[in-house]
Amino acid sequence: MPAEPTPSPSPGPLPAPSPERPLSSFAIDVPETLLTRARNGEGAAFEQIYRWFERPVFTLAMRIAGDRDEATEVLQETMLKVLTRIGDFRGHGDGSGTPFWGWLRQIAVNEALMRLRSQRRHEHAAEPNDEHLADDRLPPPPAAADAAALGRALAQLPAPTRSVLWLYHAEGYTHEEIATLMQRTPSFSKSQLARGSRRLRALLEPEQAHA
């Protein structure tokens, strides 16, 4: 069984997130000098980038895929693509305004969701009509702070529901952005968030009560 990535030193945190947009675990301020060295093919520079982003990529892949082997594959494919495409990233100067961590996260999310689509895990998920049930202001259950309990609960949810919950609450994507990533509609994202939040609370609160 593949070993879970181990923590490694990382640069200082970026500014605190706003209540509306949580700060992603990917939000690491990578120095431009390090990126330049990586673009120039310096192995040590890319190794440092790998160590900083190994855990965020693996965690995101685990929450979406729900499987350690799949998450390991996502991590490997993501980092391979970052290695081969890092020359395409030109930073804020390219006009996109996307930081390096956002660019890398996009690759990881796309890789994880592509694997879900290829396995047709949510092939029969119907487009919902109950988007009014979603309350974007509703925070995750308090027990969600317990990573182990959260992992157990998320593993019991359908893959598309789990993906929406993680992308929305942990990564700060909007419903419109999630709809684009998952090739769905904003109403699908909103409904999955509502349904998933209710189910997650039901799964977590008993664990919290017996903690």
Side-chain angles (χ1 to χ4, degrees), residues 32-53:
E32 184 60 35
T33 53
L34 185 63
L35 293 178
T36 299
R37 289 165 51 204
R39 291 191 195 101
N40 290 336
E42 186 178 321
F46 185 78
E47 181 180 357
Q48 183 64 69
I49 291 172
Y50 185 100
R51 291 183 181 278
W52 282 346
F53 289 98

Side-chain angles (χ1 to χ4, degrees), residues 1-4 68-69 72:
M1 177 180 295
E4 182 174 347
R68 294 180 63 84
D69 290 340
T72 300

Side-chain angles (χ1 to χ4, degrees), residues 20-185:
E20 296 79 16
R21 303 285 288 187
L23 186 63
S24 168
S25 61
F26 284 80
I28 297 169
D29 190 10
V30 180
E32 184 60 35
T33 53
L34 185 63
L35 293 178
T36 299
R37 289 165 51 204
R39 291 191 195 101
N40 290 336
E42 186 178 321
F46 185 78
E47 181 180 357
Q48 183 64 69
I49 291 172
Y50 185 100
R51 291 183 181 278
W52 282 346
F53 289 98
E54 180 182 19
R55 179 165 291 275
V57 172
F58 185 85
T59 299
L60 180 142
M62 269 294 293
R63 297 314 184 203
I64 292 179
D67 179 88
R68 294 180 63 84
D69 290 340
E70 284 289 324
T72 300
E73 288 293 325
V74 169
L75 171 61
Q76 293 173 348
E77 287 299 317
T78 296
M79 291 308 186
L80 178 60
K81 289 179 179 178
V82 170
L83 174 63
T84 57
R85 300 177 185 176
I86 195 167
D88 297 335
F89 179 77
R90 296 301 175 187
H92 297 287
D94 66 1
S96 68
T98 303
F100 178 77
W101 67 263
W103 177 79
L104 187 150
R105 182 180 68 170
Q106 188 72 38
I107 294 175
V109 171
N110 288 342
E111 184 65 31
L113 292 177
M114 181 178 67
R115 285 177 173 270
L116 279 187
R117 288 193 292 270
S118 68
Q119 294 169 11
R120 300 183 178 180
R121 291 180 180 174
H122 58 283
E123 180 179 44
H124 302 294
E127 290 291 332
N129 295 313
D130 57 350
E131 62 180 284
H132 63 280
L133 294 175
D135 185 353
D136 293 353
R137 297 167 299 176
L138 192 65
D146 183 335
L150 177 62
R152 289 191 295 269
L154 285 171
Q156 298 181 58
L157 301 179
T161 304
R162 184 173 63 237
S163 300
V164 169
L165 282 169
W166 191 258
L167 292 173
Y168 184 87
H169 281 305
E171 295 299 331
Y173 282 100
T174 66
H175 289 300
E176 290 71 21
E177 290 168 338
I178 293 172
T180 298
L181 289 167
M182 299 187 72
Q183 299 180 5
R184 294 283 185 169
T185 63

